Amino acid sequence: MMIIRWLFTLVCAFFIGRLMTKIHMPSILGWLIAGMALGPHALNLMPQTILDSNWYNLIQDILSVGVGLMLGTELIWKKLKKYGRALLITTLTQSLGTFLIVSLVFSVVFYFQGIPIWLGFAFGGIALATAPAPALSITQEYHTKGPVTNTLLPMAVLDDIVGIIVFFSVNAAIAKQVSAGSMPWYMVPVMIFLPFSLESFLGISQENGYNEGNNHDQSWLLF
């Protein structure tokens, strides 16, 4: 019964997305509206019991990995090299600037409310949460090309990476304040850079294999 409700919700979300395209809006806007309207806090077509079920979380994890792989294809080294310093500075400025401003505001408010100031940095870390998937969905739906698209997607992914680094670092610091059995500091870079290193290795290997295959095909054509 729960699976049927979930499938019916997907169908409804699909048609709401199609309806958005009729008024010249991106489909993902309709999907987001459907998620809010059909979720447990509105029409309750998708109750909390489905959201907490193991099978739903498994499907969600698989789809998240798929979206992550699609986003990873936008991190092309040649493009990152081309835009270089401007892309990196813009990403760090807007990400870290958001973190510092939000942390400062909440810390001041918490100071006058008698709440521990370090909780302000937790809100600063949460404020960095971004969703690069909408940018990817819109650019693919409208088949956009050009310098704006070429910088938008890598910037969205890099912004997400910075947010993850800051969030885990702040989380580890706060956990140390409230719990003696907190996560060791050395685990923060391991959790962040180990997956990045593995994915970079796979990406380089795939690119080398692709280049070798092209060279082999071209040398065969010469004969």
Side-chain angles (χ1 to χ4, degrees), residues 162-176:
V162 174
I164 291 172
I165 293 174
V166 173
F167 179 78
F168 275 118
S169 301
V170 171
N171 233 21
I174 293 176
K176 193 171 183 180

Side-chain angles (χ1 to χ4, degrees), residues 133-199:
L136 177 65
S137 175
I138 292 172
T139 54
Q140 288 190 345
E141 180 177 351
Y142 291 101
H143 305 288
T144 57
K145 292 181 180 179
V148 175
T149 301
N150 292 338
T151 54
L152 172 64
L153 293 177
M155 184 178 292
V157 178
L158 290 174
D159 186 56
D160 208 36
I161 293 173
V162 174
I164 291 172
I165 293 174
V166 173
F167 179 78
F168 275 118
S169 301
V170 171
N171 233 21
I174 293 176
K176 193 171 183 180
Q177 294 288 333
V178 300
S179 175
S182 61
M183 180 175 61
W185 278 100
Y186 63 84
M187 285 301 297
V188 175
V190 170
M191 292 175 62
I192 295 169
F193 293 108
L194 180 59
F196 184 76
S197 301
L198 292 174
E199 291 161 6

